[in-house]
Amino acid sequence: MTQHIDSVKTYAVIWISLLILTGVTTAVAFVDLGPFSVIVALSIAVVKMMLVALFFMHLRHSGKVTQLAMAATVLWLGIMVAFTFADVATRGWMGVPGR
Amino acid sequence: MADHAHAASPALQVQFDTAEQQKDASTFGMWVFLITEVMFFGGMFLAYIVYRAAYPDIFALASSSLNVYIGAANTAVLLCSSFTMVLGVRAAQLGQKKALAINIVLTLLLGFVFLGVKAFEWREKFIEHHVPGPSFHFEGVAMQGPAQLFFSLYFAMTGLHALHMVIGAGIMTWLLINAIRGRYSADYMTPVDIGGLYWHFVDIIWIFLFPLFYLIDRHLK
């Protein structure tokens, strides 16, 4: 793994993009998008996370092991959320005798 | 070959063959720690999602009582601190010792600005009786329980994030002292690199806390 040194310009572009995205997500929060409000807010957050991870944390220059570990994290987080909701969201489907 | 590498680089520990291998191991160790942190915060995010799904209307009202402009400004402060942090790491990679120290100081200052604003926000919650406990009162809702739940999650999650910021400030202070002592060079700057990883991670947590607590359902008010 050779050391990559990005230019100040690259970092500045990412920084400005992050600030713009913060402004956009704040402004769009006042607009009624119905159920899409959550999707838009979280999509912008995911984009910001990717910018920070790939550029500021140098994930795009990292080795395959690190990238695999990050992918596994997303997978396990997904499993945690999905299985919790498989429980919580279906609790009311069947009546519980005696309650 | 290994002995030659050890002679050439005094910072190289005996268990590693090369400086590159040592740096890869340290960096990956930090990533693994950050992954445990993702799961740690993940549990709290999950609690938030479950209760928000259970009480969407009350969570929307409680969320709208937070000051979105202060929240957005504080997000910008934190993003700026990530920018100065990455410039610090770059300066370390290039062996620019003065630029490294200056950028660490800027990162530290921005971190303290964030914590100061957060303290101001928490103070407001005490004045408004929005702190969970005997004196809790949230106007305009019949059910105080779920509203209290929202603010419990708010304090737990922003509090845990702030604790990470305080630890981050400690790491920055330690990096600054060592940077001034001239311990980091283009050949050895691993602590700066993994300290930066931690700082950016804390930034990413806030990137998700901000929309979840301040923004979602803002339009309903």
Side-chain angles (χ1 to χ4, degrees):
Chain A
M1 191 175 95
T2 49
Q3 176 144 288
H4 294 264
I5 301 177
D6 292 317
S7 66
V8 173
K9 194 185 160 196
T10 305
Y11 290 139
V13 168
I14 298 302
W15 172 53
I16 299 293
S17 309
L18 286 166
L19 291 179
I20 291 171
L21 283 171
T22 303
V24 169
T25 193
T26 307
V28 96
F30 291 95
V31 183
D32 190 354
L33 298 173
F36 289 101
S37 284
V38 180
I39 295 167
V40 169
L42 288 182
S43 300
I44 291 174
V46 168
V47 170
K48 286 165 76 180
M49 174 192 75
M50 293 303 285
L51 289 177
V52 173
L54 289 175
F55 290 89
F56 286 1
M57 297 172 90
H58 307 123
L59 197 58
R60 69 200 178 113
H61 299 318
S62 297
K64 287 210 159 45
V65 181
T66 308
Q67 292 179 352
L68 180 69
M70 288 320 289
T73 310
V74 175
L75 177 72
W76 284 104
L77 207 56
I79 289 173
M80 183 165 76
V81 174
F83 279 25
T84 303
F85 268 84
D87 169 17
V88 173
T90 58
R91 277 184 197 176
W93 286 9
M94 281 186 286
V96 179
R99 202 173 77 179
Chain B
M1 186 201 96
D3 289 336
H4 177 72
H6 281 269
S9 168
L12 186 59
Q13 305 284 312
V14 287
Q15 67 270 35
F16 297 108
D17 285 338
T18 61
E20 196 179 293
Q21 187 193 39
Q22 175 173 282
K23 188 171 196 299
D24 281 355
S26 300
T27 309
F28 188 63
M30 187 40 125
W31 276 108
V32 170
F33 169 69
L34 294 182
I35 288 167
T36 69
E37 290 269 276
V38 170
M39 299 312 282
F40 177 41
F41 275 98
M44 308 196 84
F45 278 110
L46 186 57
Y48 170 89
I49 298 167
V50 166
Y51 287 112
R52 182 176 177 274
Y55 308 106
D57 301 336
I58 295 176
F59 266 50
L61 278 172
S63 165
S64 298
S65 78
L66 299 177
N67 190 325
V68 67
Y69 300 108
I70 292 180
N74 229 6
T75 308
V77 168
L78 210 51
L79 292 171
C80 291
S81 82
S82 259
F83 179 56
T84 58
M85 183 72 238
V86 84
L87 290 182
V89 172
R90 184 177 184 276
Q93 286 174 330
L94 294 167
Q96 299 165 343
K97 296 182 179 184
K98 197 177 169 189
L100 169 62
I102 291 170
N103 277 302
I104 292 176
V105 169
L106 288 175
T107 307
L108 200 51
L109 286 176
L110 288 165
F112 281 131
V113 169
F114 178 90
L115 284 172
V117 172
K118 207 72 228 146
F120 171 77
E121 281 187 277
W122 285 336
R123 186 178 164 272
E124 267 193 332
K125 298 284 156 283
F126 276 94
I127 294 168
E128 293 165 346
H129 295 285
H130 287 174
V131 180
S135 68
F136 182 86
H137 180 72
F138 190 77
E139 308 76 23
V141 291
M143 286 164 76
Q144 291 290 307
Q148 213 165 159
L149 203 50
F150 175 87
F151 284 101
S152 298
L153 286 165
Y154 168 80
F155 276 101
M157 293 173 80
T158 59
L160 195 64
H161 178 265
L163 177 66
H164 279 77
M165 291 289 295
V166 171
I167 294 168
I171 293 172
M172 286 305 131
T173 310
W174 176 70
L175 286 177
L176 180 63
I177 292 167
N178 283 321
I180 290 169
R181 284 181 180 165
R183 282 201 51 197
Y184 305 127
S185 62
D187 293 325
Y188 176 70
M189 42 72 74
T190 308
V192 182
D193 211 16
I194 63 178
L197 285 180
Y198 175 86
W199 191 268
H200 296 310
F201 168 79
V202 177
D203 191 5
I204 285 176
I205 293 295
W206 183 261
I207 285 174
F208 283 96
L209 287 178
F210 172 58
L212 285 180
F213 280 107
Y214 291 79
L215 296 182
I216 291 173
D217 298 326
R218 175 71 47 178
H219 60 275
L220 295 176
K221 201 186 177 186

